[in-house]
């Protein structure tokens, strides 16, 4: 890719004199597109309506003076190359112009060759800055925030949202299937926020009993319960001034939800077994791979907390709904694992990529990443990954896919129940395998089986 500025545009601002005409002709001969304004106001109108690379201006102008033009031009294009010109040497004016960012100052009659050299230097500087800015925006939009990769519409919307909400202290609710990148997004929010130099503290609420969870979040005083042999600060205190990321927030039980809500509203709490009120400044980001509305309906999740959390929501689409991201992710993971395992995999064949594009990816990006890691590890030569390298279930995914019918008019929960039952049936009730295919944790599978009353084989 080249970053050339097409034809550099030079705006000359001076009254019509033989000298000015000579300057305009000289610039045109040298391949520049020259715009000529006879007074400050005409120049102002040009600067306001089209991009200018170079401004050569007499400083003592009618109506709007040259110094003003200089600052307007720089406001429009901070890299603009300004050459200030005056009839007689005026040290004060010259110093002021240079101080305001002019590249050069000349006393008439101007030295054409010197002007040319200054313009060339200015233009090449602009190209460099252009390249860097372009690179930054490309990095931002494609490789996004830190390690968050994506070019799909869905990911771009997420990048845009992160850009908007990162600088604020708003609580963010990230929802999406397992492995879609919720934790990476939470981290990106932190790293793009003014709190980036402070702590990013995590807590996963799954698998924690109510008591443990409360004390993990809010800490406890010595003797608060059997085994509390000393005071312990909770994650909220540890994350003071930084960001706290609470994963699987749906697992928090209603009594602890009350405490969390108070924390969000008043920014204060007490440690378990303590009476001192502790105030902290924490930005909260929470994630869930379950929809919270049904839990609210079943009174398992407090409605007031739900509304408090859902003000700013990021919904991460599953990978199967943003297939454009797959090639980019595949290549990024291949280079990552080449480095990690000292391999030299050169890429992937069309055929293998096609199967990747067709797969359902129940485990989303995590599943894709694990899949690539396995393939890279087993690849012994310097070559492309091919269909034969794919895990069996992916190779067969097209041919042997079984189908089942889902009637119209049923809830998502019923759909989920049917999917679990059918998957379990298809793998001979091997829970581990079923959980893998469904892309959920074994614990989650067991929990849901109990909840939906699914036969366990
Ligand atoms: N857009 C992405 N670009 C690069 N890597 C990604 C992306 N999304 C996810 N990953 C990778 O996939 C894996 C899973 O991501 P992450 O842990 O953020 O998912 P999650 O949504 O929090 O999953 P869970 O719901 O199971 O906790 C991680 O290794 C992460 O680095
Ligand atoms: Mg996670």
């Amino acid at each position: 890719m080249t970053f050339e500025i097409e034809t550099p545009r030079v705006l000359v601002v001076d009254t019509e004199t033989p000298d000015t005409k000579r300057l305009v002709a000289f610039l045109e001969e040298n391949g520049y597109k020259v715009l000529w304004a006879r007074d400050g106001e005409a120049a102002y109108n040009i600067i306001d309506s089209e991009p200018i690379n170079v401004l050569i201006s007499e400083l003592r102008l009618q109506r709007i003076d040259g110094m003003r033009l200089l600052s307007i031009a720089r406001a429009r294009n901070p890299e603009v190359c300004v050459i200030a010109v005056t009839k007689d040497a005026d040290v004060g004016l010259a110093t002021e112009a240079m101080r305001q960012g002019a590249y050069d100052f000349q006393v008439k009659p101007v030295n054409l060759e010197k002007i040319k050299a200054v313009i060339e230097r200015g233009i090449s500087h602009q190209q460099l800055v252009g390249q860097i800015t372009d690179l930054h925006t490309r990095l931002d939009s494609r490789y996004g925030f830190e390690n968050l990769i994506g070019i799909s519409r869905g990911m771009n919307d997420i990048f845009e949202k992160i850009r908007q909400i990162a600088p604020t202290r708003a609580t963010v609710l990230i929802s999406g299937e397992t492995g879609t990148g919720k934790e990476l997004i939470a981290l990106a929010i932190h790293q793009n926020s003014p709190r980036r130099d402070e702590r990013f503290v995590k807590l996963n609420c799954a698998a924690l009993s109510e008591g443990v969870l409360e004390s993990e979040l809010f800490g406890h005083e010595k003797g608060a319960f059997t085994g509390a042999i000393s005071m312990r600060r909770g994650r909220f205190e540890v994350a003071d001034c930084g960001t706290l990321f609470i994963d699987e927030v749906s697992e928090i039980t209603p009594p602890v939800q009350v405490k969390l809500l108070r924390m969000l509203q008043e920014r204060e709490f007490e440690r378990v077994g303590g009476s001192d009120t502790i105030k902290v400044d924490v930005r909260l980001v929470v994630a869930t791979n379950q929809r919270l509305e049904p839990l609210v309906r079943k009174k398992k999740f407090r409605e007031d907390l739900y509304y408090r959390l859902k003000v700013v929501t990021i919904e991460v689409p599953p990978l199967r709904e943003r297939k454009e991201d797959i090639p980019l992710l595949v290549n990024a993971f291949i280079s990552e694992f080449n480095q990690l395992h000292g391999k030299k995999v050169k890429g992937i064949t069309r055929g293998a990529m096609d199967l990747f594009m067709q797969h359902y990816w129940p485990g989303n990006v995590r599943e894709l990443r694990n899949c690539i890691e396995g393939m890279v590890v087993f690849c012994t030569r310097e070559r492309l990954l091919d269909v034969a390298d794919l895990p069996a279930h992916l190779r067969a995914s097209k041919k042997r896919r079984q189908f089942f019918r889902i009637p119209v008019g049923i809830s998502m929960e019923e759909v989920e129940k049917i999917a679990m039952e059918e998957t379990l049936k298809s793998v001979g009730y091997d829970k581990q395998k079923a959980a893998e295919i469904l892309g959920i944790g074994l614990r989650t599978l067991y929990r849901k089986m109990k909840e939906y009353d699914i036969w366990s084989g």
Side-chain angles (χ1 to χ4, degrees):
M1 193 181 283
T2 56
F3 299 90
E4 274 163 42
I5 295 173
E6 287 173 0
T7 307
R9 304 162 76 83
V10 183
L11 172 60
V12 175
V13 195
D14 205 346
T15 47
E16 195 159 338
T17 62
D19 266 358
T20 318
K21 283 186 184 161
R22 200 163 54 90
L23 172 67
V24 170
F26 173 81
L27 293 169
E28 280 172 346
E29 276 160 32
N30 279 280
Y32 298 113
K33 170 148 178 40
V34 184
L35 304 158
W36 181 3
R38 269 75 173 171
D39 62 40
E41 197 174 348
Y44 176 79
N45 291 334
I46 293 175
I47 293 172
D48 216 30
S49 58
E50 52 193 309
I52 298 296
N53 303 107
V54 181
L55 171 67
I56 303 176
S57 177
E58 161 69 57
L59 285 180
R60 299 193 191 284
L61 288 169
Q62 294 289 310
R63 322 263 279 267
I64 295 178
D65 82 1
M67 208 62 86
R68 182 83 205 291
L69 276 186
L70 194 163
S71 70
I72 296 166
R74 274 177 53 84
R76 298 284 185 282
N77 169 12
E79 308 309 325
V80 67
C81 168
V82 179
I83 301 172
V85 179
T86 49
K87 276 197 203 63
D88 9 68
D90 180 338
V91 181
L93 209 54
T95 323
E96 182 55 22
M98 299 303 273
R99 209 179 58 80
Q100 294 223 4
Y103 270 57
D104 192 25
F105 185 89
Q106 293 209 7
V107 179
K108 287 175 184 168
V110 295
N111 177 338
L112 294 178
E113 283 308 319
K114 194 169 164 231
I115 283 212
K116 190 175 158 209
V118 174
I119 293 180
E120 279 166 5
R121 185 159 46 88
I123 298 283
S124 83
H125 171 77
Q126 285 176 33
Q127 285 176 344
L128 207 67
V129 171
Q131 279 176 29
I132 293 168
T133 326
D134 188 66
L135 219 60
H136 275 304
T137 43
R138 281 192 300 144
L139 278 177
D140 260 9
S141 61
R142 285 192 43 201
Y143 298 104
F145 300 91
E146 316 311 320
N147 306 314
L148 211 48
I149 296 168
I151 46 158
S152 59
R153 175 84 194 277
M155 284 309 286
N156 271 316
D157 288 351
I158 290 177
F159 293 147
E160 187 49 41
K161 260 199 169 155
I162 298 178
R163 255 182 228 115
Q164 286 171 1
I165 60 185
T168 71
R169 61 174 299 169
T171 301
V172 185
L173 169 65
I174 308 173
S175 66
E177 289 179 14
T178 181
T180 42
K182 296 184 295 294
E183 185 164 342
L184 275 191
I185 291 171
L187 190 59
I189 292 173
H190 173 72
Q191 283 171 340
N192 286 276
S193 78
R195 300 168 179 253
R196 64 180 71 90
D197 296 325
E198 304 290 338
R199 287 206 176 112
F200 177 77
V201 178
K202 293 189 275 189
L203 181 67
N204 188 334
C205 303
L208 296 183
S209 69
E210 184 173 304
V212 175
L213 180 62
E214 183 176 3
S215 129
E216 283 295 327
L217 281 172
F218 302 104
H220 61 247
E221 297 293 348
K222 182 176 174 177
F225 46 83
T226 341
I229 44 172
S230 58
M231 183 281 279
R232 187 155 176 253
R233 296 190 311 146
R235 306 288 159 110
F236 268 113
E237 276 179 81
V238 175
D240 194 14
C241 300
T243 305
L244 176 61
F245 173 54
I246 301 185
D247 205 355
E248 306 220 23
V249 71
S250 60
E251 304 292 307
I252 299 183
T253 48
V256 185
Q257 287 171 18
V258 178
K259 210 160 165 178
L260 182 61
L261 182 65
R262 175 166 160 235
M263 169 61 215
L264 281 174
Q265 284 169 341
E266 325 283 339
R267 310 217 157 260
E268 61 182 36
F269 60 90
E270 285 94 34
R271 295 190 192 118
V272 177
S275 52
D276 290 348
T277 300
I278 296 166
K279 282 188 177 292
V280 288
D281 166 30
V282 170
R283 201 254 178 98
L284 190 66
V285 179
V286 305
T288 175
N289 50 26
Q290 292 194 54
R291 287 161 54 77
L292 295 179
E293 294 91 334
L295 299 178
V296 172
R297 258 184 274 125
K298 286 186 202 155
K299 306 257 180 282
K300 287 186 180 163
F301 203 86
R302 289 183 63 106
E303 195 172 10
D304 46 9
L305 177 60
Y306 171 62
Y307 283 112
R308 190 71 184 65
L309 290 176
K310 80 162 210 168
V311 179
V312 179
T313 315
I314 295 183
E315 282 177 37
V316 198
L319 188 56
R320 77 189 80 88
E321 283 173 21
R322 45 179 168 106
K323 294 200 159 156
E324 315 88 281
D325 292 341
I326 294 178
L328 212 62
L329 287 163
V330 166
N331 288 321
F333 293 149
I334 290 179
S335 1
E336 180 186 342
F337 292 119
N338 266 343
Q339 266 198 355
L340 190 67
H341 302 294
K343 297 282 178 175
K344 290 192 176 144
V345 173
K346 285 161 68 182
I348 187 162
T349 62
R350 214 19 217 288
M353 187 62 96
D354 280 351
L355 284 175
F356 272 155
M357 299 296 274
Q358 284 161 18
H359 186 58
Y360 192 72
W361 298 116
N364 293 293
V365 186
R366 178 182 294 112
E367 182 188 359
L368 176 67
R369 190 165 182 274
N370 292 345
C371 178
I372 301 279
E373 177 162 27
M375 291 169 78
V376 170
V377 167
F378 287 116
C379 183
T380 44
R381 283 180 298 121
E382 191 174 337
R383 62 173 174 86
L384 294 174
L385 296 173
D386 202 356
V387 176
D389 300 307
L390 293 174
H393 75 280
L394 250 144
R395 265 194 322 247
S397 69
K398 225 189 152 192
K399 277 176 260 146
R400 269 198 273 133
R401 170 160 286 174
Q402 297 166 14
F403 292 91
F404 54 85
R405 295 180 81 83
I406 296 176
V408 175
I410 63 173
S411 69
M412 281 309 290
E413 282 166 55
E414 285 167 296
V415 173
E416 195 172 58
K417 179 178 176 196
I418 297 177
M420 286 181 178
E421 282 174 337
E422 294 296 326
T423 310
L424 280 161
K425 226 192 288 172
S426 76
V427 294
Y429 294 93
D430 178 336
K431 317 286 177 305
Q432 184 68 45
K433 237 190 221 156
E436 265 168 39
I437 293 177
L438 291 164
I440 55 178
L442 195 55
R443 281 181 51 93
T444 313
L445 179 65
Y446 275 115
R447 182 167 47 75
K448 298 228 168 184
M449 284 174 68
K450 213 165 115 197
E451 186 179 334
Y452 299 149
D453 203 13
I454 295 174
W455 190 60
S456 62

